[in-house]
């Protein structure tokens, strides 16, 4: 048997079920997509954007990488954002991290995992910038939780600071940036800092992040 036969069978069952419930579902979606949300999440297999938010195909545009980082010279992530904002006109960008993130833990422990160390260096910078507040937490699990939260807030700020989002706000486009953390142990999402929907609000967020860093 084909090693992936189970997945192909699952796909056929799913497509049949969707077609039965809504005969025009696929033909309608094939014409266009108009998602209102861009999801920037961790690659972790336990945090699937659509499933945990109850969204159907066509409703969320997704970019995932290890530890949900938004790095200013990452052409992959920036291209996804630019297309989502300028072409698809999404109204919300959600940066979603998760407690128990292996990438965050590696950064916290200064662990070396190979090639990925270069990517996680960005998290190492965040760890170092927040060294004082992290040092005040003695329990490693709680420290890990906190770095997951700090990372999401820092990445949401990175999203706001891109030319893509700045230009969208300058031309009056409706666009909000959100930072969420998902808890693997209960399946619930936690909103970190409300949301940012203008340059003025971004400045406030930046001020509070600066205070967190000292
Ligand atoms: Co992760």
């Amino acid at each position: 048997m084909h090693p992936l036969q189970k997945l192909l069978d699952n796909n056929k069952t799913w497509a049949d079920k969707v077609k039965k419930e809504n005969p025009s579902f696929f033909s309608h979606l094939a014409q266009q997509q108009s998602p209102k949300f861009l999801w920037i999440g961790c690659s972790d297999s336990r945090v699937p954007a659509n499933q945990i938010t109850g969204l159907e195909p066509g409703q969320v545009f997704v970019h995932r990488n290890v530890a949900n980082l938004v790095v200013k010279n990452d052409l992959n992530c920036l291209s996804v954002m630019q297309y989502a904002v300028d072409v698809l006109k999404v109204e919300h960008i959600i940066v979603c991290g998760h407690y128990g993130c292996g990438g965050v833990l590696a950064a916290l422990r200064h662990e070396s995992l190979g090639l990925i160390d270069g990517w996680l260096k960005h998290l190492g910078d965040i760890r170092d910038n927040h060294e004082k507040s992290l040092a005040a937490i003695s329990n490693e699990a709680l420290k890990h939780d906190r770095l997951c939260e700090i990372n999401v807030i820092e990445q949401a700020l990175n999203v706001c600071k891109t030319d893509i989002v700045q230009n969208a706000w300058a031309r009056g486009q409706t666009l909000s940036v959100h930072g969420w953390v998902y808890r693997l142990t209960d399946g619930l999402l936690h909103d970190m800092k409300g949301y940012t929907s203008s340059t003025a609000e971004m400045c406030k967020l930046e001020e509070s992040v600066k205070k967190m860093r000292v």
Side-chain angles (χ1 to χ4, degrees), residues 42 44 98 101:
C42 183
D44 194 297
H98 65 101
C101 184

Side-chain angles (χ1 to χ4, degrees), residues 35-92:
K36 286 196 165 34
F37 313 99
L38 164 63
W39 177 276
I40 300 175
C42 183
S43 299
D44 194 297
S45 64
R46 300 165 292 181
V47 197
N50 287 71
Q51 262 169 297
I52 65 175
T53 54
L55 294 172
E56 300 290 334
Q59 295 186 315
V60 58
F61 202 62
V62 173
H63 176 77
R64 289 167 69 178
N65 61 45
V66 173
N68 42 274
L69 301 180
V70 178
V71 177
K72 62 180 175 212
N73 59 0
D74 175 11
L75 195 57
N76 185 351
C77 181
L78 293 177
S79 300
V80 171
M81 277 181 56
Q82 190 263 322
Y83 186 79
V85 172
D86 292 352
V87 182
L88 297 174
K89 306 264 190 291
V90 297
E91 292 174 11
H92 303 275

Side-chain angles (χ1 to χ4, degrees), residues 170-184:
R171 62 180 177 256
Q173 194 172 324
T174 300
L175 183 64
S176 302
V177 179
H178 309 253
W180 291 355
V181 184
Y182 175 78
R183 196 179 288 281
L184 297 171

Side-chain angles (χ1 to χ4, degrees), residues 41 74 123 180 191 195:
D74 175 11
L123 255 171
W180 291 355
D191 190 351
Y195 56 89

